[in-house]
Amino acid sequence: MNKTPMEKGEEAKRLFLSGYNCAQAVFLTFSDELGLEKETALKISAGFGGGMGRLREVCGAVSGMFMALGLKYASADPSDHAAKTRLYTHIQEMARRFKEENGSIICRELLSLPPGPQDPTPQQRTPQYYRLRPCPDKVASAARLLAEYLQEQES
């Protein structure tokens, strides 16, 4: 049974709350249906958490969406410019939708942090950590938006 966009959002949020980073939570939500093993999906997306390794650049949830779109729409042929254009069109549309709903696609802006990288050591996941961060909701938003978009593309 296919999950609804809302269920996909809740699944990604649950994965994030279980300890996966934002990129992993979104990417893992879609990797199975896109033909990628769980362990491989988790390793590929691991470095994108915290806005790319806590650099606080592009939100990991957004990067997770982009990775899933790449699995779905990218061509392995480097000369397939039409496929690149289609993929980049999908990427830009999803960035637009996420930004429209969340205000930005930049991690530090979503978290109201100053520019620049942070200590590379991830913070411990405590109840206080989750209370201070909008990340669970951003992860749910990214997965829901992507599921809605993929449904639109199939109709």
Side-chain angles (χ1 to χ4, degrees), residues 46-116:
F48 292 87
M52 301 184 178
R54 289 180 54 90
L55 290 170
R56 302 305 185 193
E57 296 296 338
V58 174
C59 170
V62 173
S63 293
M65 287 191 307
F66 292 173
M67 285 183 270
L69 288 167
L71 269 179
K72 176 99 175 147
Y73 295 112
S75 171
D77 177 357
S79 65
D80 188 345
H81 294 288
K84 285 182 188 180
T85 299
R86 283 190 301 275
L87 174 61
Y88 294 169
T89 299
H90 294 306
I91 297 287
Q92 289 186 12
E93 177 59 17
M94 288 311 306
R96 183 194 68 74
R97 291 181 188 200
F98 187 89
K99 187 174 183 177
E100 182 177 278
E101 185 166 301
N102 295 285
S104 178
I105 66 166
I106 304 300
C107 176
R108 75 177 155 276
E109 293 173 3
L110 294 167
L111 297 178
S112 300
L113 296 172

